[in-house]
Amino acid sequence: PHPYRYPIIGSTESLKNPRLSQMVEFYQKFYVASNMGLILSGDFNADEVFPMIETAFSRIPSGAVPKRETPQPKLITGVQKEQIKIPVPFVRAKAWAWRGVPAGHPDEITLNILVGLLNNTNGTGMLDRLMVDGKVMMAQALSASLNDAGILAVLVVPNMLALSSSRAVRATLQAIASIKEGDFSDDTFLSLKLEQKRTFEQQLESIDARSAKLRALFSQGINWEHHLQTGAAIDALTKEDIVRAACNYFNDNRFEVTKKTGRYSKDRVEKPKYAPIPLKNSTIESVYAQSLSQIKSKNLTPRFLDFDKDVETISLTPLCTLYLHKNNVNQLFTLKFQFGTGTLERPNLTQLSIYLHLLGTVNYSYEQFRNALQSLGSTLTFEAESNYFVCSVTGFDSHFAETLHLVHTFFKEVKADPKKLKPLRDNKRVENKSFLKTPSNTILALMQKTLYGDDSRYLRQLSISQIRSLKGDELIRLFGEALQTECAIHYCGTLPTDSIIHLINNSGISNQVVPSNSPLIRASKEYTQPTLFLVDDPKATQSIVYAYIAGPSDLSQEERCIANLFNTYFGRGMSSLLFQEIRELRSFAYGTNSSFLIPQPKNRHKNSSFIASLSTQADKTVQAIELLDSLLKQMPLQEERFEYAKQNFTNSITNDYPGLRDISVRIASLKRDGYNQDPASATLSYVQQLQLKDMEQFYKKHISTQPVVWMVVSNVKRLNTAQLSKFGTIEYVKHKQIYKE
């Protein structure tokens, strides 16, 4: 009976006949000052801001909010069995769900640590070990505390080739039973408390994180002072509290949910047979809009990166550079090793990044190594990016030296384990079964094939047979080769520079001998004739459409600036031409976007690319493409919209200063791209001087006169292919042509 059971946007039936009078009534009841919170997080003077707030918002009526009795969910009595349909074949899953606690409940933190005993960042939980040991494909616990109620749940996915899931179920339930019996060490419990405190500190680091936390607390009726006591509440917890909570909440009153392969029927809403409303006065401002435009804005001084002052840059060796940025917020450090080789150069780095998370060293088992990290409140993760292999370390500066020693030990002595190769194969099997069942994935694979041919990342990835033939020692050698590749090391913390240099130099980690080829910029294909690549997805109810235009190389600084401004004018954001014309005015699309992708100065000889996209109902596909095509070929040029675009682009530059832990990464990236100072400063100067005729000239030269290549993923039976053919020669594309299994 709880309102959570209803779709947020409403039922199909209610959406067919919305009543404006009900919307007005709802607004008048609930949009009152006593039901609102205003949250500010940033660099401002509170004494200056409060009078402005009072002036602006005091006109909102303060009326009392009608008291609503929210019906509570029924109690769970006994084991209630349910089945849910998920359209992924061959994968079985079982879940158990118990009633948890609402937000602000004294046991909320207790349940977070309880879940940490099952799954945690370092992979030392009891369910983590089932996955690492290959006993299950996946096992995951969660505790979610919502405003009115909470959920405590455990999910297990058995190994794909197992004849029965009963063994996975027994192992999962045994893990829960072990916690209820208190079968975990004091060291494990203390390390999880440390992890919770690290998470708490991280939530206070940035203005975005603080404002998000403030919004959540306001909606939950919890004040900020109470939240700041979280650290003390974590310290006060005892092992007995965890055992008590496990026995109390992991009880016999639960849902037992089994996954079955299938889909739920969908409501099909036919396109209304309304005649379009003729456009009138589309370029005339309302009185309200005019009053807004007359309000003078304060000119903010943009903050640009200073390559010399914002970071300390130390060349440890010719191929290893250390970037340091001081942390003045808390005692947490981040240490990131960015090795200059990625999946575009070595696709098997993807498998390596998974494999390393499952291994120990010559002298430490997986469990011993990860427990040692966790006891320090530290983490070590690996990620394979397109151009870089990244090892990220986090922790408390008070344990930096011990953490770095453990990381170096792992780098030097990591030990292959043939038994841990199985998850690599299982992950690929699941990906193969599910990837192309999602149109948003299919269109990405189609785009990669269209732009880069056989260099598509989805065609260069390892197939299941290639992964099956991988050897552990082979992957460890690959890791050693990655560690020898040119490296940027990023430290953000509180320790003195000399200490960091000394510790890293003594660790032997800065011993790189192979120059980097990254970033690799693939050559995008050029097409001389309009073409439409079409992938048939018989189960798709929507169409996803991409348009591609091959752009020029060797763009000047001014042209690069115009291209970025064109992005804002044409297709980025809710005020862009695409969004306004296609979605807002005609309801032809759920979402729109476009981007002119330009190689950085170091690779300016490579071609640029223009991509526009939209998603729409299948029966509107032709109309949507027709409209997008017309905007590409005959784009409306409006002085007022151009000025808005300039202002929006200026705002984006002003607000683009990176967060605390991203400053050194951004500077290093800009240096690699060929900049010796923040390019945002020059870009801003160019933008302020640009006129509409400059963008018009750029558009006519590089967009309107170029052939468009279309990519469409849809149910062909719901398309009029004869009408589609007017946009270009149709080429039907099969899944195996765009995705290697």
Side-chain angles (χ1 to χ4, degrees):
H2 192 279
Y4 287 165
R5 73 184 293 263
Y6 298 107
I8 292 174
I9 199 172
S11 67
T12 302
E13 201 57 39
S14 66
L15 290 172
K16 287 180 181 178
N17 299 292
R19 293 178 60 183
L20 184 60
S21 59
Q22 290 180 336
M23 298 181 196
V24 172
E25 181 184 2
F26 184 88
Y27 176 83
Q28 291 174 341
K29 279 184 179 180
F30 298 105
Y31 281 70
V32 293
S34 56
N35 199 34
M36 294 182 183
L38 179 64
I39 294 166
L40 303 180
S41 179
D43 181 11
F44 55 84
N45 185 314
D47 292 335
E48 293 179 1
V49 168
F50 283 146
M52 299 179 194
I53 292 172
E54 189 171 10
T55 300
F57 292 95
S58 60
R59 62 185 177 82
I60 297 175
S62 60
V65 180
K67 187 175 181 180
R68 291 190 294 178
E69 295 295 335
T70 303
Q72 292 301 301
K74 296 176 182 178
L75 293 175
I76 306 171
T77 54
V79 178
Q80 300 184 24
K81 297 189 176 183
E82 301 283 348
Q83 286 188 330
I84 59 170
K85 298 177 182 178
I86 300 177
V88 180
F90 307 114
V91 177
R92 290 161 294 162
K94 173 117 19 196
W96 300 267
W98 295 264
R99 186 77 71 226
V101 298
H105 190 282
D107 278 343
E108 184 178 2
I109 298 172
T110 310
L111 291 184
N112 288 338
I113 292 182
L114 174 59
V115 166
L117 288 167
L118 296 169
N119 298 106
N120 56 61
T121 308
N122 272 303
T124 63
M126 296 179 184
L127 298 185
D128 293 322
R129 291 203 293 271
L130 294 180
M131 292 187 284
V132 171
D133 294 340
K135 295 179 179 179
V136 300
M137 177 180 285
M138 188 183 76
Q140 189 70 45
L142 71 87
S143 175
S145 295
L146 306 177
N147 287 12
D148 304 305
I151 182 173
L152 183 65
V154 174
L155 166 72
V156 61
V157 178
N159 289 323
M160 291 186 67
L161 300 182
L163 297 176
S164 170
S165 61
S166 59
R167 185 177 299 177
V169 169
R170 284 198 303 271
T172 304
L173 295 178
Q174 180 56 50
I176 295 172
S178 296
I179 298 175
K180 295 169 72 172
E181 294 166 4
D183 188 15
F184 55 93
S185 69
D186 291 337
D187 288 342
T188 297
F189 170 60
L190 292 174
S191 69
L192 290 171
K193 289 173 67 171
L194 206 55
E195 180 175 298
Q196 286 295 311
K197 293 187 74 170
R198 187 183 68 240
T199 301
F200 171 71
E201 291 286 350
Q202 288 170 335
Q203 289 178 335
L204 305 179
E205 276 193 359
S206 68
I207 61 172
D208 291 336
R210 285 196 295 272
S211 62
K213 177 54 68 174
L214 281 164
R215 290 197 302 273
L217 293 174
F218 172 75
S219 74
Q220 296 159 356
I222 302 172
N223 65 48
W224 185 248
E225 288 71 25
H226 175 80
H227 176 66
L228 293 180
Q229 300 304 312
T230 299
I234 293 171
D235 287 335
L237 284 175
T238 66
K239 182 177 177 180
E240 289 71 26
D241 292 326
I242 306 301
V243 175
R244 171 192 57 78
C247 294
N248 185 27
Y249 295 102
F250 282 133
N251 54 45
D252 293 332
N253 300 317
R254 63 179 184 266
F255 283 100
E256 187 173 295
V257 185
T258 305
K259 175 260 177 188
K260 62 182 295 186
T261 302
R263 294 175 181 268
Y264 294 99
S265 58
K266 296 182 179 179
D267 293 335
R268 294 192 180 276
V269 183
E270 294 300 322
K271 184 171 59 175
K273 297 179 181 179
Y274 301 144
I277 298 175
L279 297 179
K280 294 181 179 179
N281 304 325
S282 62
T283 60
I284 297 178
E285 283 188 333
S286 67
V287 174
Y288 182 65
Q290 290 173 2
S291 67
L292 285 178
S293 64
Q294 291 171 4
I295 298 175
K296 292 185 178 180
S297 301
K298 183 178 180 180
N299 290 325
L300 298 178
T301 302
R303 186 180 180 189
F304 302 117
L305 290 167
D306 188 315
F307 287 13
D308 297 321
K309 295 180 180 179
D310 287 341
V311 297
E312 288 186 77
T313 305
I314 296 99
S315 179
L316 299 178
T317 70
L319 294 178
C320 183
T321 304
L322 174 64
Y323 297 88
L324 300 103
H325 181 74
K326 289 299 180 182
N327 172 11
N328 298 316
V329 177
N330 52 39
Q331 298 297 310
L332 301 179
F333 78 83
T334 49
L335 183 68
K336 180 177 288 189
F337 299 89
Q338 202 172 31
F339 297 100
T341 182
T343 56
L344 290 179
E345 186 176 17
R346 297 179 172 183
N348 48 359
L349 286 172
T350 298
Q351 283 65 47
L352 174 64
S353 67
I354 300 171
Y355 190 53
L356 290 174
H357 286 102
L358 308 174
L359 301 178
T361 68
V362 173
N363 297 308
Y364 289 90
S365 67
Y366 165 84
E367 189 172 345
Q368 289 171 330
F369 176 76
R370 288 289 166 174
N371 279 333
L373 271 178
Q374 184 135 324
S375 68
L376 300 172
S378 303
T379 67
L380 170 63
T381 60
F382 302 92
E383 184 178 3
E385 300 176 349
S386 296
N387 281 297
Y388 301 97
F389 189 75
V390 181
C391 309
S392 299
V393 188
T394 67
F396 295 86
D397 267 320
S398 56
H399 297 309
F400 179 83
E402 302 99 307
T403 300
L404 185 63
H405 175 71
L406 281 172
V407 171
H408 174 240
T409 299
F410 187 88
F411 283 7
K412 186 178 179 181
E413 300 179 1
V414 60
K415 183 180 178 182
D417 186 343
K419 295 179 181 178
K420 303 296 175 62
L421 292 169
K422 188 175 183 299
L424 310 186
R425 300 190 291 268
D426 289 344
N427 285 345
K428 181 60 176 175
R429 288 193 188 99
V430 173
E431 182 182 318
N432 285 349
K433 297 298 181 184
S434 61
F435 185 87
L436 294 176
K437 294 186 181 299
T438 305
S440 58
N441 288 337
T442 307
I443 194 70
L444 291 178
L446 178 59
M447 182 184 71
Q448 283 278 316
K449 172 67 174 177
T450 303
L451 267 67
Y452 305 115
D454 292 340
D455 277 340
S456 160
R457 69 175 71 253
Y458 298 105
L459 295 176
R460 284 178 48 77
Q461 67 183 357
L462 269 60
S463 67
I464 186 67
S465 61
Q466 289 173 312
I467 293 174
R468 193 179 291 117
S469 65
L470 283 174
K471 305 297 182 185
D473 291 338
E474 174 187 337
L475 287 173
I476 298 304
R477 282 195 299 273
L478 177 64
F479 182 48
E481 292 169 4
L483 295 180
Q484 293 295 303
T485 309
E486 187 173 349
C487 178
I489 304 176
H490 301 272
Y491 169 80
C492 180
T494 63
L495 297 179
T497 299
D498 290 345
S499 297
I500 298 299
I501 295 173
H502 174 74
L503 288 168
I504 290 178
N505 279 336
N506 283 357
S507 72
I509 291 176
S510 56
N511 186 28
Q512 284 69 46
V513 295
V514 180
S516 170
N517 296 319
S518 295
L520 292 178
I521 306 297
R522 292 167 292 173
S524 53
K525 296 178 66 174
E526 297 188 33
Y527 294 82
T528 57
Q529 297 296 327
T531 309
L532 191 149
F533 295 105
L534 178 59
V535 174
D536 181 23
D537 186 345
K539 295 181 180 179
T541 57
Q542 301 176 13
S543 296
I544 302 181
V545 177
Y546 276 38
Y548 162 60
I549 295 174
S553 60
D554 290 312
L555 288 173
S556 66
Q557 176 66 30
E558 185 174 2
E559 286 178 313
R560 300 168 76 85
C561 181
I562 296 173
N564 284 318
L565 181 58
F566 178 79
N567 287 337
T568 305
Y569 182 93
F570 190 81
R572 283 187 185 168
M574 297 176 66
S575 61
S576 68
L577 186 68
L578 284 190
F579 192 91
Q580 291 295 314
E581 293 288 330
I582 298 179
R583 173 176 157 147
E584 295 297 277
L585 190 59
R586 296 176 176 84
S587 298
F588 279 171
Y590 302 107
T592 64
N593 190 46
S594 77
S595 188
F596 210 107
L597 306 174
I598 315 164
Q600 296 298 348
K602 183 180 178 181
N603 294 286
R604 61 185 305 156
H605 58 285
K606 299 283 188 177
N607 284 355
S608 54
S609 304
F610 176 77
I611 302 286
S613 65
L614 61 84
S615 55
T616 185
Q617 290 175 224
D619 57 358
K620 293 182 179 179
T621 304
V622 173
Q623 292 169 290
I625 294 178
E626 198 166 42
L627 179 55
L628 175 54
D629 189 53
S630 70
L631 293 175
L632 290 172
K633 291 182 169 60
Q634 297 176 328
M635 181 181 74
L637 292 161
Q638 301 170 354
E639 187 69 44
E640 183 182 41
R641 185 185 295 277
F642 178 72
E643 291 302 320
Y644 280 146
K646 284 177 65 173
Q647 185 60 55
N648 287 341
F649 187 59
T650 299
N651 292 345
S652 69
I653 293 175
T654 304
N655 295 323
D656 194 38
Y657 195 83
L660 170 74
R661 302 190 185 277
D662 297 322
I663 289 175
S664 68
V665 176
R666 176 80 67 85
I667 288 176
S669 176
L670 289 171
K671 285 185 173 182
R672 282 194 299 267
D673 289 336
Y675 295 104
N676 53 28
Q677 62 182 12
D678 191 343
S681 177
T683 299
L684 191 58
S685 298
Y686 273 120
V687 168
Q688 292 168 348
Q689 299 170 23
L690 288 177
Q691 299 179 17
L692 181 60
K693 63 180 182 180
D694 299 317
M695 191 180 72
E696 179 183 12
Q697 183 180 3
F698 178 89
Y699 157 74
K700 289 181 176 179
K701 181 178 180 181
H702 300 303
I703 302 292
S704 65
T705 57
Q706 304 302 315
V708 181
V709 176
W710 299 93
M711 294 154 272
V712 180
V713 175
S714 186
N715 182 346
V716 171
K717 290 182 179 179
R718 303 186 68 189
L719 299 178
N720 187 325
T721 52
Q723 291 183 351
L724 274 181
S725 63
K726 67 183 179 182
F727 301 109
T729 304
I730 296 179
E731 293 190 19
Y732 291 88
V733 181
K734 297 185 180 298
H735 285 171
K736 65 180 181 181
Q737 294 175 270
I738 59 175
Y739 182 82
K740 183 197 287 187
E741 294 186 328

